[in-house]
Amino acid sequence: MILRALYDYYQRDKDSIPFGLQKANISFLIVIENDGTFCSIEDCRQGKKGTDFFVPTGEHNNSISPLLFWDNVQYLLDYTPDYEPLSEVDSKNANKVKTRSEKIQKSHEKHLAFVNRCKSVAEESGEKELLAVSLFYSKNQLQDVYKDKLWTDIKKKPLSWLSFRVKGKLNIVASNTYFSSDDYLSNIKADDNDISGICLITGLNSSIARLCKATPITGAKSSAKLVSFNDNSYCSYGKEQGGNAPISKEAEFAFSSAILKMLDNNSHNKFSIGNRTFLFWASSQTDASKAAEDSLFALFGYKEDSDDPNKRIEFVQRTFLSIYNGSLPSNKDDRFYILGLAPNSARIAVVYWSELPLREFAGTIGRHFEDMEIVDTRKEKKPYSGLHAILGTVTLSGKSSDASPNLPDAIVKSIFQGTPYPVSLYQACIRRIRAEQALNITRAATIKAYLNRLIDNNKKIEIMLDKENQNQGYLCGRLFAVLDKIQEDANGIHSIRERYINSASSTPATVFATIINLSTHHIEKLKPGSQIYYEKLKQEIMSKLPADGFPTHLDLQNQGRFFVGYYHQRQDFFITKDNKE
Amino acid sequence: MEYTNKEYCLEVWGAWACFTRPELKVERVSYDVITPSAARAIFESIFWKPAIRWQVTKIEVLNPIKWTTIRRNEVGAVASRAPIFIEEKRQQKNALILQDVRYRISAKLIYRPARERDGETIKEGENPMKYYQTFERRAGHGQCFMQPYLGCREFSANWRLVDANEQKTPAITETRDLGIMLYDMDFEQNPKKPNTMFYHTKMEQGVIIVPDKDSREVLR
């Protein structure tokens, strides 16, 4: 299903790269005349990177594999850093001298292979531009190229891509229209050496691709592929490489190009967490589908400092709500696909795959927002319910990339499928609160979301302070917040919270007696009006506790409710303060 | 001799299953439902003789499709005479597999008459009935040559024979086009290097009708 969905995406996309081409980032161009005479070297870099051009597809492998009219400086101009003469010391070392000459020999072979390939294709095509390159090589002008003033720049970057331009033409030689023509394409589509078989994506009998294109993701090698059988132990039934999973050349090109497009730097169809990359796309081009893709990108894929993050989150919520309740119309068959990839040296592993009907997907995302919603009295309302925010809040450094590797996958799964959040997230959250004695909005929201999605008999936690909630942990948390506030108003310090929050949340019975005593001293320092107000509040909370007193021990879930109660009560003080002012 | 091929029904279930996709078999990803090839293997592990072959006819999905990811240490070498030193060949690989599966698979026990089997001496008393009875006896008692498995050997399957007249659990109410799935490997044409056969899978209300091996719908 995964490859089929990618294949369909490529077919639907109007801007997809035509068969046989790929995007390449060319840094330098060799400018030649129509008859092949060398003119100059042109620098087409923009800043550090080169310019993107559409060139015939190709990949280097370990043996000699020249590309067509575009390549690196070793194939194009027969130069590698090994050509530099050895230092005094090294030239006495016989081994080093031998390896250097071997490498130079190899480089010669590669260059010759490139030249021969260009010449044969140029002859076959009969195109003037391609013949010009062939003439360039037959005139032995490499020394002239080495004398050009930009040559030192090329030498500094031996891995950058180069190509040719005929003087006066706009486009580079590698982008010649011959490479999109039927003559050329029919050659690569049906080679005589090809095996033919049933393609498992299209179901039609066609030439089977031997290798797939590399689609590297962050953290993987640059030759990483989704579909590859690069070792004997991965092959079965005597098949080799592509024979293990017959995919036609067109279908292979389609799904590889789709992945590459989604992995592009400025793509709006991906987001990454740690070393996981998630690609997402919709199954049609309706308004609802496009809105869903854009919203998901806005939600998870944004970079930290973009403009007004809250407007964006609001927009996302409204979009998903309107898809869910039908005001943004979508077909019944519209589906939304999410593919999670992880790197594993030269392979790419699929760690998550889901295809949901679009409306259901919008519904589950909406549920996540609903579950995470909590009272917010901050002055600067930065978004707190995004994936990066949640992960950042459960790590020591505050960075989402430091979270343990399984956590992002599990959270993504629960957000997209509406299942309960992972227990490890909840535990990590409580751990961080205890370690830092700090409870910010994201942590409170995470606890609330986790507890509300559990299926049990406890009352669901509300967004704001809930005066009717009788849960022991919740009440202890509220009481603790009151005592903390009393001390803050009286002395201006928070020593009760700093010293007692950990023990109060796990074993209230041992601690509350002490802090209530302390608080009687604090309350004496307040004005009579405040005294009465706080006393009444304390009474209200303590009246709901059972007669045997404070619970001796709170289990982990109730500890979560303690913290949420603490948070709600504190926020309630700020709200009432605002109302007074 | 006149006979009709009998159809039998088994219910299989297990904690995990992995019906590996051929294109993603290095870092395993499972198909959504059981393949006819895996279903055939379950029947064959209960009873098989060269005189018969199994033809899967119907697959019913009884549990909703759930996925899970696991990461395992695997071996990156082919087993041969020489020993494998695991420290050098250990690879950690990811697997995206199914969880809590339950299927009801139906298959026909097709008797291969004497002329199809080459080079075998046919004994007296050879008739299809004895094979049907053997299977019914074995399946009824829970006997099998080896433990049936769901796609990969490590995911053992529990199974039982389903009576034609019993009250059957309904299948899930999902209707989905599952794309082109592996049907089986074509061992008859080329036993050493078989080619893959594919077919277009459509699940209607949890039921998948599997075409016959020689029908037009099987792409080869």
Side-chain angles (χ1 to χ4, degrees):
Chain A
M1 259 339 270
I2 302 177
L3 299 186
R4 176 80 214 204
L6 288 166
Y7 174 82
D8 289 337
Y9 178 76
Y10 173 87
Q11 306 285 41
R12 268 198 318 272
D13 191 9
K14 291 181 291 272
D15 301 321
S16 50
I17 302 178
F19 180 73
L21 300 180
Q22 72 172 70
K23 239 202 238 185
N25 195 273
I26 311 270
S27 306
F28 295 98
L29 294 171
I30 315 261
V31 183
I32 56 177
E33 301 273 1
N34 256 321
D35 62 355
T37 336
F38 168 68
C39 291
S40 60
I41 299 181
E42 187 186 320
D43 182 351
C44 50
R45 286 177 295 180
Q46 296 165 356
K48 273 197 174 167
K49 296 188 125 192
T51 338
D52 282 334
F53 288 102
F54 287 116
V55 296
T57 54
E59 252 174 17
H60 282 156
N61 53 37
N62 283 335
S63 63
I64 301 176
S65 52
L67 303 173
L68 262 181
F69 294 98
W70 67 283
D71 215 318
N72 59 23
V73 74
Q74 186 178 40
Y75 280 91
L76 221 90
L77 299 169
D78 197 7
Y79 171 81
T80 59
D82 298 310
Y83 275 78
E84 302 297 330
L86 286 175
S87 62
E88 275 287 325
V89 178
D90 286 339
S91 45
K92 304 220 176 95
N93 185 335
N95 268 339
K96 290 209 175 166
V97 172
K98 199 172 102 174
T99 16
R100 178 171 175 266
S101 53
E102 276 171 8
K103 284 195 179 165
I104 292 179
Q105 176 67 17
K106 204 71 197 296
S107 178
H108 276 318
E109 286 173 19
K110 286 187 176 176
H111 176 67
L112 274 174
F114 179 81
V115 172
N116 286 335
R117 187 161 190 222
C118 288
K119 284 192 175 161
S120 61
V121 172
E123 270 180 50
E124 237 184 84
S125 72
E127 287 276 331
K128 277 219 261 191
E129 275 191 342
L130 310 182
L131 288 168
V133 173
S134 158
L135 288 168
F136 164 77
Y137 277 118
S138 42
K139 285 188 185 174
N140 277 333
Q141 299 173 79
L142 288 182
Q143 293 305 320
D144 298 330
V145 179
Y146 297 160
K147 291 196 194 116
D148 193 283
K149 56 180 173 353
L150 281 171
W151 174 241
T152 35
D153 284 358
I154 297 185
K155 281 208 288 188
K156 279 189 209 155
K157 298 215 176 275
L159 294 175
S160 54
W161 299 115
L162 287 83
S163 185
F164 292 92
R165 190 208 290 278
V166 172
K167 196 164 186 183
K169 298 273 182 157
L170 266 179
N171 233 335
I172 67 173
V173 173
S175 300
N176 193 297
T177 46
Y178 172 70
F179 298 117
S180 327
S181 70
D182 287 327
D183 299 330
Y184 172 71
L185 289 179
S186 54
N187 276 343
I188 41 174
K189 275 190 197 175
D191 215 332
D192 281 329
N193 301 335
D194 275 347
I195 324 168
S196 75
I198 301 282
C199 168
L200 55 80
I201 297 181
T202 55
L204 306 166
N205 197 327
S206 27
S207 324
I208 301 301
R210 192 170 163 270
L211 295 169
C212 292
K213 208 159 163 40
T215 53
I217 58 176
T218 35
K221 286 197 188 157
S222 59
S223 56
K225 299 176 189 167
L226 187 59
V227 180
S228 80
F229 308 96
N230 51 357
D231 193 282
N232 270 339
S233 55
Y234 310 145
C235 302
S236 15
Y237 296 121
K239 312 282 184 194
E240 276 178 7
Q241 298 285 6
N244 284 291
I247 303 177
S248 67
K249 290 186 171 172
E250 287 96 343
E252 184 274 316
F253 183 81
F255 82 74
S256 304
S257 303
I259 300 181
L260 283 171
K261 182 161 187 217
M262 286 196 245
L263 287 174
D264 203 27
N265 273 332
N266 42 6
S267 132
H268 278 224
N269 286 82
K270 71 165 183 189
F271 67 90
S272 47
I273 303 269
N275 71 349
R276 304 281 198 253
T277 309
F278 289 90
L279 306 178
F280 51 89
W281 66 99
S283 73
S284 64
Q285 304 270 44
T286 55
D287 287 334
S289 309
K290 284 207 67 48
E293 283 184 19
D294 292 333
S295 308
L296 195 58
F297 178 70
L299 182 56
F300 290 140
Y302 67 94
K303 301 286 172 254
E304 288 301 331
D305 343 283
S306 37
D307 42 25
D308 202 357
N310 291 306
K311 275 237 185 80
R312 185 186 58 230
I313 296 287
E314 257 186 59
F315 161 73
V316 167
Q317 275 183 273
R318 265 185 291 122
T319 316
F320 282 123
L321 190 58
S322 53
I323 297 176
Y324 184 62
N325 62 24
S327 33
L328 201 52
S330 58
N331 296 331
K332 207 162 52 85
D333 304 324
D334 273 352
R335 302 190 87 85
F336 200 79
Y337 303 106
I338 305 167
L339 176 66
L341 302 172
N344 189 349
S345 74
R347 292 188 298 272
I348 298 178
V350 176
V351 292
Y352 182 74
W353 167 248
S354 90
E355 51 174 294
L356 297 162
L358 190 60
R359 280 195 62 214
E360 205 180 300
F361 173 71
T364 46
I365 298 261
R367 262 197 72 195
H368 168 71
F369 280 116
E370 237 182 79
D371 286 333
M372 287 284 287
E373 205 180 330
I374 203 167
V375 57
D376 185 2
T377 55
R378 297 174 292 173
K379 287 205 192 74
E380 257 188 49
K381 294 195 201 283
K382 276 173 52 180
Y384 62 85
S385 47
L387 197 50
H388 287 279
I390 299 178
L391 285 170
T393 199
V394 296
T395 58
L396 176 58
S397 56
K399 285 194 274 195
S400 61
S401 43
D402 282 346
S404 82
N406 293 332
L407 203 50
D409 292 345
I411 300 180
V412 162
K413 198 171 166 185
S414 39
I415 293 180
F416 290 149
Q417 289 177 233
T419 49
Y421 294 96
V423 182
S424 45
L425 173 68
Y426 178 69
Q427 290 169 347
C429 197
I430 301 268
R431 227 178 296 138
R432 291 279 10 118
I433 297 176
R434 288 186 179 289
E436 294 173 17
Q437 277 104 41
L439 179 61
N440 57 31
I441 185 171
T442 319
R443 289 183 184 151
T446 313
I447 296 177
K448 166 182 178 273
Y450 172 80
L451 291 171
N452 277 357
R453 278 208 188 171
L454 291 178
I455 304 172
D456 56 16
N457 289 328
N458 284 312
K459 186 168 186 241
K460 297 288 172 220
I461 304 176
E462 305 276 329
I463 296 173
M464 294 184 47
L465 178 64
D466 182 8
K467 300 210 171 155
E468 311 299 322
N469 196 327
Q470 305 266 22
N471 181 282
Q472 309 254 328
Y474 192 78
L475 293 169
C476 290
R478 283 184 63 192
L479 186 57
F480 195 83
V482 174
L483 302 175
D484 184 34
K485 189 76 171 60
I486 295 174
Q487 187 191 31
E488 189 184 340
D489 282 353
N491 293 340
I493 57 173
H494 286 279
S495 65
I496 285 188
R497 186 183 79 207
E498 285 161 18
R499 289 193 204 146
Y500 291 103
I501 192 167
N502 284 352
S503 38
S505 56
S506 46
T507 51
T510 56
V511 156
F512 266 96
T514 321
I515 47 181
I516 292 179
N517 267 338
L518 287 176
S519 126
T520 48
H521 299 295
H522 298 145
I523 216 170
E524 284 164 12
K525 296 191 187 166
L526 300 175
K527 295 196 294 273
S530 305
Q531 283 188 9
I532 298 175
Y533 170 66
Y534 284 125
E535 278 299 330
K536 272 173 79 172
L537 197 45
K538 267 172 34 181
Q539 298 275 1
E540 183 210 321
I541 300 173
M542 284 170 66
S543 65
K544 296 203 176 74
L545 289 165
D548 339 9
F550 291 98
T552 47
H553 165 73
L554 288 176
D555 67 16
L556 201 61
Q557 279 195 28
N558 286 330
Q559 285 179 32
R561 293 199 170 83
F562 178 100
F563 291 120
V564 176
Y566 174 83
Y567 179 82
H568 276 167
Q569 187 68 62
R570 271 199 81 78
Q571 296 301 312
D572 190 59
F573 287 134
F574 288 127
I575 295 176
T576 39
K577 205 169 83 168
D578 287 342
N579 283 341
K580 277 192 211 157
E581 291 160 18
Chain B
M1 175 184 11
E2 282 189 23
Y3 61 92
T4 45
N5 291 317
K6 267 198 184 179
E7 189 164 345
Y8 295 104
C9 191
L10 287 178
E11 189 172 319
V12 289
W13 65 98
W16 290 300
C18 183
F19 309 107
T20 324
R21 288 180 167 273
E23 65 268 19
L24 296 167
K25 68 173 168 167
V26 181
E27 305 271 347
R28 283 180 201 286
V29 173
S30 171
Y31 277 117
D32 298 43
V33 294
I34 191 171
T35 53
S37 160
R40 169 187 60 76
I42 294 179
F43 279 96
E44 284 184 355
S45 56
I46 298 171
F47 175 62
W48 181 83
K49 290 270 183 241
I52 62 165
R53 73 172 179 89
W54 286 101
Q55 170 65 53
V56 181
T57 49
K58 188 163 66 157
I59 296 170
E60 285 166 272
V61 182
L62 303 177
N63 269 4
I65 298 171
K66 277 200 302 198
W67 300 86
T68 183
T69 324
I70 56 177
R71 222 181 162 99
R72 301 183 282 186
N73 284 349
E74 298 183 15
V75 181
V78 180
S80 63
R81 275 246 182 93
I84 302 177
F85 288 105
I86 189 61
E87 291 83 11
E88 295 152 23
K89 297 292 181 188
R90 184 185 290 124
Q91 289 180 352
Q92 204 173 68
K93 299 236 208 55
N94 202 68
L96 185 62
I97 59 179
L98 299 170
Q99 209 176 12
D100 281 335
V101 297
R102 200 175 196 101
Y103 302 109
R104 199 164 41 230
I105 47 184
S106 315
K108 282 198 179 125
L109 205 173
I110 297 181
Y111 171 71
R112 297 175 69 210
R115 61 181 174 280
E116 272 184 36
R117 304 180 245 163
D118 11 67
E120 272 186 42
T121 47
I122 309 301
K123 298 201 181 70
E124 246 192 69
E126 171 78 354
N127 62 78
M129 194 46 143
K130 73 172 184 180
Y131 296 107
Y132 297 139
Q133 286 180 345
T134 312
F135 176 75
E136 283 160 24
R137 186 178 7 104
R138 287 175 67 82
H141 290 166
Q143 288 174 292
C144 47
F145 292 120
M146 61 177 188
Q147 184 68 25
Y149 54 90
L150 296 160
C152 293
R153 279 279 180 90
E154 57 266 29
F155 305 128
S156 303
N158 304 306
W159 61 278
R160 67 178 187 94
L161 183 65
V162 170
D163 203 26
N165 303 326
E166 69 173 65
Q167 185 80 299
K168 298 194 181 138
T169 1
I172 57 173
T173 52
E174 220 182 302
T175 303
R176 213 156 35 119
D177 182 348
L178 296 166
I180 293 182
M181 262 175 59
L182 183 92
Y183 182 84
D184 210 328
M185 303 298 288
D186 197 357
F187 290 107
E188 288 170 13
Q189 297 279 9
N190 189 345
K192 285 274 161 69
K193 287 193 181 182
N195 286 326
T196 14
M197 304 192 280
F198 295 100
Y199 80 114
H200 199 137
T201 319
K202 292 193 180 71
M203 180 165 67
E204 305 266 341
Q205 297 296 313
V207 178
I208 301 168
I209 306 291
V210 177
D212 195 73
K213 182 173 68 78
D214 299 312
S215 74
R216 219 166 34 106
E217 283 131 353
V218 173
L219 312 163
R220 47 165 95 205

